[in-house]
Every structure is written in structure tokens, then in C-alpha cells.
Amino acid sequence: MRDFDETAEPAGARPDPSADADRFVVQEHHATSLHWDLRLERDGVLVSWAVPKGIPPDPRQNHLAVHTEDHPLEYLDFHGEIPEGSYGAGSMTVWDTGTYETHEWKDNKATVTLHGRRVDGRYALFQTRGNQWMIHRMDPPADPTREEMPTDLRQMQATPGELPDDEDAYGFEVAWSGVRALAFVEGGRIRLVDDDGNEVSGTFPEIRAMGRALGVTQVVLDGVLVATGPDGKPDVERMARRLSAKSDSAVRRLMASVPVMYMPFDVLWLDGHATTDLPYEERRKRLDDLHLDGPSWKVPATHAGQGSALLEAARAQGLRGVVAKRLDSPYRVGETTPDWIEVRA
Ligand code: MN
């Protein structure tokens, strides 16, 4: 299945069955479909599973694990590009590595304790049907306070108004014209939900890559989808064209002629914890730490204390206006509040 002449992948010429400690690796594999390859060293090879949603951090959520062919030991530290046309084409990075203990090893079940930097705990792998297995965390959650990601959050809305007198207490952002959308991201998969609670993921397929770029990071973002015109400014008519596409093929055609950017400006949830009670200033730091900068997504700038200057710039550039956000304000889910003020240009 793998053509070793074509790829930089290790071909496995030097298996070393004498090695003492049993080692493991989890590789993040950006192939046609994002998955994590769990490989356990055993009898001179790496017994392997492809796990589409990654190693579960919580015993309440079992994940599918597809049993794949044994790989050579050299894969323990393999990372790099597997070229187009080769099996598993795409980039592969080492997500975690370490040693493991075996408690049980049968044809249809294995129980092991992984000791890695990111994964630490006892796991059961068991066959359900054919090459379909499940992976289950047997230990308590690595983070006992971790909660399940909510699916029904609603956006906080700004109140229309004037620039505040105490500009120093606010961060200012450009008010982008477009489609406001929450992004729910888990296991590299993204769900975009608009103002009215409708899922719009299918209308904006180019944003799926942001989900893959986030890897195992579980996050809910608030942001805006923007279609820009030839002058680089948000263009609501072009956005209307994107929204009018009814079939997948129409969406595909429009993706090329009317590209859309997702601009996340807030974070409501991060890795098992609500961030809505954190002050806006702190949430923006968490957002920056996610390094969201890709071909179809980018975190827009925020300007603390500089409302008048930004409003002037927005006017000069023909933009809609600015939004003033109190630096110390929490994210009030589903509420329209004076903590956010939209000032029209
Ligand atoms: Mn793989």
C-alpha cells in the first residue's frame, strides 16, 4: 500500500526487537481526513490504530479507532510530508510520545497505560467489528473539572450608541459587515452557527480547514464571516451571493469567485472550560494564543483605548463602524448589553 520509493517515510530496514521499554507514539496526520495515529511498539513493530477524533481525555467519551497495518519502528519519531499520490498523503507531526505498560493483550482487546507528555492514563482498545475498534479511557479524566462542550450557546450582541467617554476602559474593533457566526470546534471538526441558530457550515466549506488546523483543541469562537470585494472592503452583496447557493456544486463554484474569511474575535469555551466569565481582555489573550491565521481565517485587530482614531479610520475607509468592548466585561451569552457598543461610521 505504501510506496517507499516515493516518500520520505521510513521503510523499516532496521527493526530492533531487543529494545526494553515499550514505546508509543501518537501522530497527528493531516491526510484526506484528519486523524491521530496511535502506534504501540510490540514484537519489533508498531501496532497501529487511526483515531479520527484523537485520544479521548474523558472516560465518558469513547472514540472510534480503526485498526491499521503494523508500521516499522522508525515511525516512532517520523514527522514530515507524505507526498500527493502516496498512501496517507499529507503532513504528519508527532503529537505525543512516551512509554506504555501492557496489562492485557488479546486479538480483540488491549489494555495499556500510556505515559506521555500529553496523554497519561490507562486505556482499553477493543474490537467492535472487523477493523473497527474503540478506545476508552479507564482512568478518571485527566482534567477532573473538564466539562462537555455546550452546543447551544448564543451570541452576545452590541448596543447601538456613541463612543464612550472613558476610551481607556475599552478595546475597539472594526465592525465588519458580514455573517456573524459561532464556530464550535472539536476533534478537528467545525460547526458554524449563525445569528438565528442555523448551521451554515455547508455554505462555507473553506472554513473547515480552520477546524483541522486547531487539531485536538476544543473551542467555541465568536466571529464574523466576511466576503470582500475587489477593493478589499466587506461587500454585503457578494456575501448575499454566497448565501444564495443552494447546491454543493454551486457552493464550490462560488468559493473560487467569492472567497470568504472567518474573523474570530472572541472565545467562549476552551478545552473543557467556559471562558465566558473571563474579562474580554483575558479572552482576547486566549484567542491570540490559538494562533488562528490561515488562508480563510484570521483574528482581527483590537485597539485598546483608541476608539476615536479607529472610528476616524473606519470613516475614511468606508467601513461600517467600530465596536467598543469593555476590557473588564464578561461574555454575556445571548444578551444585548451596553458592555459592547456599536458606533456607526
Ligand atoms: Mn495515518
Side-chain angles (χ1 to χ4, degrees):
M1 281 166 93
R2 285 171 283 124
D3 181 346
F4 292 118
D5 290 334
E6 293 294 319
T7 87
E9 292 179 276
R14 300 169 281 109
D16 180 16
S18 65
D20 285 329
D22 289 323
R23 294 168 292 178
F24 83 92
V25 65
V26 178
Q27 279 140 334
E28 183 169 314
H29 190 179
H30 290 257
T32 310
S33 183
L34 172 65
H35 60 271
W36 285 263
D37 288 297
L38 167 64
R39 310 188 195 281
L40 304 176
E41 176 183 21
R42 189 168 174 91
D43 299 333
V45 296
L46 296 172
V47 181
S48 298
W49 290 264
V51 188
K53 288 188 166 178
I55 310 302
D58 192 305
R60 290 168 297 187
Q61 279 182 329
N62 294 348
H63 287 175
L64 171 69
V66 179
H67 208 326
T68 54
E69 66 188 84
D70 293 346
H71 277 56
L73 290 184
E74 281 76 3
Y75 264 86
L76 276 169
D77 55 10
F78 176 74
H79 55 94
E81 287 295 323
I82 303 172
E84 284 292 322
S86 302
Y87 177 69
S91 75
M92 190 178 257
T93 54
V94 172
W95 183 80
D96 198 9
T97 187
T99 59
Y100 77 98
E101 301 161 58
T102 305
H103 309 292
E104 181 184 20
W105 193 281
K106 297 194 293 197
D107 284 347
N108 60 357
K109 189 180 181 198
T111 308
V112 297
T113 298
L114 303 174
H115 301 288
R117 284 169 293 113
R118 302 178 75 156
V119 178
D120 199 24
R122 185 184 283 237
Y123 284 86
L125 286 141
F126 55 94
Q127 185 183 32
T128 52
R129 185 179 177 191
N131 65 354
Q132 312 272 297
W133 290 51
M134 299 296 282
I135 180 168
H136 165 70
R137 184 177 171 94
M138 299 172 76
D139 277 338
D143 170 2
T145 62
R146 187 183 176 98
E147 294 172 54
E148 273 193 54
M149 186 172 82
T151 57
D152 57 350
L153 296 172
R154 298 304 290 266
Q155 289 144 344
M156 172 168 169
Q157 305 290 348
T159 306
E162 301 298 321
L163 282 178
D165 292 332
D166 51 342
E167 288 193 16
D168 286 346
Y170 290 79
F172 296 87
E173 301 172 9
V174 169
W176 300 101
S177 300
V179 174
R180 186 92 182 269
L182 294 177
F184 296 81
V185 183
E186 191 167 30
R189 275 73 179 168
I190 186 165
R191 197 164 59 87
L192 288 169
V193 177
D194 73 8
D195 261 348
D196 300 321
N198 299 315
E199 181 166 353
V200 292
S201 318
T203 310
F204 304 102
E206 61 262 70
I207 316 302
R208 282 183 201 146
M210 187 185 80
R212 295 193 288 273
L214 279 160
V216 291
T217 303
Q218 184 201 52
V219 68
V220 181
L221 303 165
D222 187 3
V224 59
L225 294 149
V226 177
T228 48
D231 57 358
K233 289 178 201 160
D235 185 326
V236 291
E237 281 173 27
R238 286 166 76 87
M239 177 52 89
R241 275 172 64 200
R242 279 296 296 263
L243 291 169
S244 70
K246 293 286 173 255
S247 67
D248 286 351
S249 57
V251 168
R252 293 270 155 205
R253 277 195 305 277
L254 279 168
M255 245 172 74
S257 55
V258 187
V260 163
M261 289 283 287
Y262 183 57
M263 304 174 72
F265 49 64
D266 215 321
V267 55
L268 284 62
W269 185 269
L270 189 56
D271 286 334
H273 299 277
T275 52
T276 45
D277 286 341
L278 297 173
Y280 164 77
E281 200 170 22
E282 187 59 40
R283 298 198 308 277
R284 282 293 304 212
K285 281 185 195 142
R286 306 286 169 103
L287 183 63
D288 288 339
D289 288 345
L290 295 173
H291 304 292
L292 293 169
D293 188 2
S296 303
W297 60 95
K298 189 176 178 45
V299 174
T302 177
H303 307 268
Q306 298 169 48
S308 305
L310 191 65
L311 185 61
E312 206 169 299
R315 279 184 183 135
Q317 292 173 42
L319 299 169
R320 190 168 88 179
V322 303
V323 183
K325 299 182 174 177
R326 275 201 74 90
L327 294 171
D328 61 1
S329 68
Y331 190 100
R332 304 184 194 278
V333 173
E335 288 181 45
T336 302
T337 83
D339 289 339
W340 287 8
I341 307 164
E342 179 166 349
V343 187
R344 299 302 286 240

